[in-house]
Amino acid sequence: MSLFTKKRVIISVVLLAAAVGAALYLQANPRKPKEEEPKYKFALVEKGNITQTVTASGTLNPVALINVGSQVSGTVLDLKADFNDRVKKGQILLTLDPTIFNAQIKQSEASLASAESSRRLALANMERNQKLVTQNYISGSALDQTKRELEVADANIKLAKAQLERVQADFNNSVIRSPIDGVIIKRTIDLGQTVAASFQTPNLFQIAKDLTKMQIDTSVSEADVGALKAGLAARFVVDAYPDREFEATLRQFRLAANVQQNVVTYTVVLDVENKDELLKPGMTAQVRLVVGNKQNVLRIPTAALRFKLSEEDLAKEAKAKKAQDKAQEEKTGVKQKEEPVVPAPEPEDDIAFRSKNEVSRSFKIYKLDDKNQAKPVDIKIGLSNFRYTEVVSGELNLNDKVITRSLGKTSTEK
């Protein structure tokens, strides 16, 4: 055998071995068919808890907040209370300069003494004239005149006493006292400052009765007030303690509406226990009112309620289903039954004749069938929040795949 023949035999053996090796490799590692890319993002129907809340923001205030003012004008002579001081009922907060009040008291006392002297003179004249009338030395009209002078003197005494009581009251009011037991939250006066009470009562101090009991004054939108009632539990956070939640209870829903730029809100008052006095007046509270809570119910993501198929998606679904049915027919030889294309959901024609509750709680959603095609399902929902929605009735079972959004570019979510 020549050298050339030997080389041809060796090359043939190598090629044959390579072909056999490739065949064995393909047999051991068959080529996987290309997987179809998913068209929708879905979530499983599950059982769990749902809590429905109403959110609002408000301001923390003491339950009882008293503004202390002054009924008289004057200059602050002595200041005996400051910010954050705890005061008792009747305790002196400040005193005004009493010089003018003392002068007015002395003036009124002098007027009273003069009126009493005038009365004594009028009384003596009347007694003298009574004797002269009996002796016919004077007429009866002269006696009547002295009686009138006595009555005028009595009236002048009463007037002088009233004026004296008034200036004494002004003197007493120049000493400002605390009307309650509490804590001074605000002080708007300084030593030596003049207090002017001519046109309106000036506010000198603001006293909180009890800081261990606070309240939150918050505004709630008119869309959320239907579920509110006294006694509802609430939780809130403040910026000063971002890692801690505080508890509150709804005490009062005020019927007076607040309208600002055509937005209607209602004032809701919540009670807060502040035994540690961590919460301060004026803090902003972010409140969550718990209006509903259900345990272990059938639920779906709320995003599934907003998903809608576009016309292009419907056409693609129909085309893909037709191709799938044709392939199945070629494989089995059995003609597949054609199903009508489901159109996009249209608004109900009889909406005006259905109850408001029924309309607002009925929805059409989509789930994935056995062939990963979108199938519309009518459901009725119950409790709902931004994350989960309760399924009350409908053709949904545990672990069904509900579509939350499309992974393509032609679907719309409303």
Side-chain angles (χ1 to χ4, degrees), residues 45-180:
V45 179
E46 61 181 7
K47 282 195 172 184
N49 305 330
I50 298 180
T51 300
Q52 186 176 1
T53 60
V54 171
T55 59
S57 61
T59 304
L60 278 159
N61 293 308
V63 175
L65 193 62
I66 307 298
N67 291 318
V68 180
S70 174
Q71 299 182 23
V72 295
S73 301
T75 303
V76 178
L77 181 66
D78 192 10
L79 190 60
K80 296 182 177 294
D82 202 354
F83 291 96
N84 303 336
D85 285 351
R86 295 185 179 271
V87 294
K88 298 291 184 181
K89 183 178 181 180
Q91 180 177 333
I92 297 176
L93 303 179
L94 66 82
T95 56
L96 301 178
D97 189 350
T99 303
I100 297 177
F101 303 108
N102 288 332
Q104 290 174 344
I105 289 174
K106 291 178 180 179
Q107 182 179 359
S108 297
E109 289 176 345
S111 297
L112 177 59
S114 176
E116 289 175 345
S117 177
S118 298
R119 184 186 184 281
R120 287 194 295 270
L121 177 60
L123 180 61
N125 289 336
M126 188 190 70
E127 291 176 348
R128 186 182 304 110
N129 288 343
Q130 283 179 340
K131 293 179 182 180
L132 294 175
V133 167
T134 57
Q135 297 175 3
N136 294 322
Y137 287 114
I138 61 173
S139 64
S141 60
L143 179 62
D144 293 339
Q145 182 66 29
T146 55
K147 287 182 178 180
R148 178 184 175 280
E149 290 175 355
L150 179 61
E151 292 174 354
V152 171
D154 288 336
N156 288 335
I157 289 176
K158 291 181 180 178
L159 178 60
K161 286 182 178 180
Q163 290 176 343
L164 179 59
E165 290 176 358
R166 178 180 177 180
V167 296
Q168 285 178 339
D170 288 344
F171 174 77
N172 294 332
N173 289 333
S174 68
V175 180
I176 310 299
R177 300 176 184 271
S178 174
I180 59 171

